[in-house]
């Protein structure tokens, strides 16, 4: 079954420049400081679904994540290779279409910033304000950036990872008006994240 998915991905995703993550069901569209991620999600029984989204590498983590969802498709069941092959091809067609849509939505940082800053505040979505704050500072609107970081700092830190994120938000709040300092912080975070994910180093053109 995985061979069928991989074969279909090589037809649909590889020509777009995506690379497979080892021998996994994950394919990556690398834009330097952000990734498009397509995952052919396993089901509890034989089959596959699809999850496509974007990851901001300034999070500096050692695993792939979906910070923006483009699409989630429920599992297609595998019964026989003959039955599953056209389903795998269709999943890959959808993956290619949504990866292309992400590229068109986020061609440059100002487009990402407009998207992140325009999202309504959603209670419980801790990272929304964190990401919007970083993007706002990078495009030169520090007051907006500080507002978003202050939302992060007002959250009740219920877990150690929230404490760590608030420490970062406090640091970023202090330098939000210093464009060079913000760019240096984000560049270092992205470089570190790429290293943790075993991605090749690339010259970063964040702005």
């Amino acid at each position: 079954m995985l061979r069928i998915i991989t074969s279909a991905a090589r037809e649909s995703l590889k020509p777009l420049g995506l690379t497979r993550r080892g021998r996994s069901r994950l394919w990556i569209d690398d834009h330097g400081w952000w990734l498009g991620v397509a995952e052919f999600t396993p089901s509890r029984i034989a089959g596959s679904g699809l999850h496509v989204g974007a990851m901001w590498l300034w999070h500096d983590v050692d695993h792939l994540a979906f910070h923006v969802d483009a699409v989630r498709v429920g599992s297609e069941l595998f019964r026989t290779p003959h039955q599953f092959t056209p389903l795998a091809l269709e999943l890959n067609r959808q993956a290619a279409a949504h990866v292309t849509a992400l590229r068109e939505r986020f061609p440059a940082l100002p487009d990402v910033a407009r998207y992140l800053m325009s999202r309504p505040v959603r209670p419980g979505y801790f990272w929304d304000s964190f990401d919007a704050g970083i993007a706002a500072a990078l495009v030169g609107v520090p007051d907006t950036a500080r507002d978003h970081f202050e939302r992060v700092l007002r959250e009740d830190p219920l877990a150690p990872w929230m404490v760590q994120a608030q420490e970062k938000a406090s640091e970023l709040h202090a330098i939000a008006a210093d464009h060079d300092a913000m760019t240096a912080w984000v560049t270092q975070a992205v470089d570190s994240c790429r290293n943790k994910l075993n991605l090749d180093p690339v010259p970063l053109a964040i702005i």
Side-chain angles (χ1 to χ4, degrees):
M1 181 192 66
L2 183 56
R3 284 200 302 269
I4 295 172
I5 295 171
T6 302
S7 176
R10 286 174 178 151
E11 291 184 23
S12 297
L13 301 182
K14 194 171 183 179
L16 292 178
L18 276 73
T19 58
R20 186 183 180 192
R21 185 81 167 155
R23 299 178 63 82
S24 73
R25 293 167 173 251
L26 289 155
W27 289 72
I28 295 173
D29 188 28
D30 191 347
H31 296 273
W33 57 274
W34 72 277
L35 304 177
V37 182
E39 180 182 16
F40 296 94
T41 54
S43 59
R44 294 182 179 178
I45 56 178
S48 180
L50 174 66
H51 189 187
V52 178
M55 174 182 181
W56 316 124
L57 297 183
W58 55 58
H59 280 265
D60 191 9
V61 292
D62 62 1
H63 57 274
L64 294 175
F66 294 88
H67 298 128
V68 175
D69 281 330
V71 66
R72 289 177 182 263
V73 178
S75 292
E76 300 286 1
L77 298 182
F78 175 89
R79 297 184 179 87
T80 68
H82 178 75
Q83 165 266 340
F84 188 71
T85 296
L87 299 178
L89 289 169
E90 174 58 20
L91 283 176
N92 274 278
R93 186 199 65 77
Q94 292 185 54
H98 287 288
V99 165
T100 300
L102 282 174
R103 290 178 176 181
E104 293 172 351
R105 185 191 296 183
F106 303 134
L109 178 64
D111 306 281
V112 172
R114 278 192 293 272
Y115 168 80
L116 293 175
M117 291 187 294
S118 68
R119 288 189 297 187
V121 176
R122 301 182 294 174
Y125 285 80
F126 183 90
W127 293 114
D128 282 7
S129 293
F130 184 86
D131 292 334
I134 288 176
L138 288 174
V139 297
V141 280
D143 289 341
T144 300
R146 290 192 191 99
D147 287 343
H148 284 289
F149 292 135
E150 286 165 9
R151 290 194 186 106
V152 174
L153 295 171
R154 286 195 296 269
E155 292 281 345
D156 188 9
L158 301 176
W161 66 264
M162 295 181 73
V163 174
Q164 294 168 4
Q166 287 181 326
E167 289 172 353
K168 289 183 180 180
S170 179
E171 178 185 355
L172 293 169
H173 184 280
I175 64 172
D178 187 335
H179 189 266
D180 289 343
M182 278 297 306
T183 302
W185 189 97
V186 170
T187 299
Q188 182 179 20
V190 170
D191 283 342
S192 176
C193 188
R194 292 186 65 86
N195 182 59
K196 291 173 182 175
L197 294 173
N198 294 316
L199 298 172
D200 292 336
V202 296
L204 294 180
I206 296 172
I207 302 300

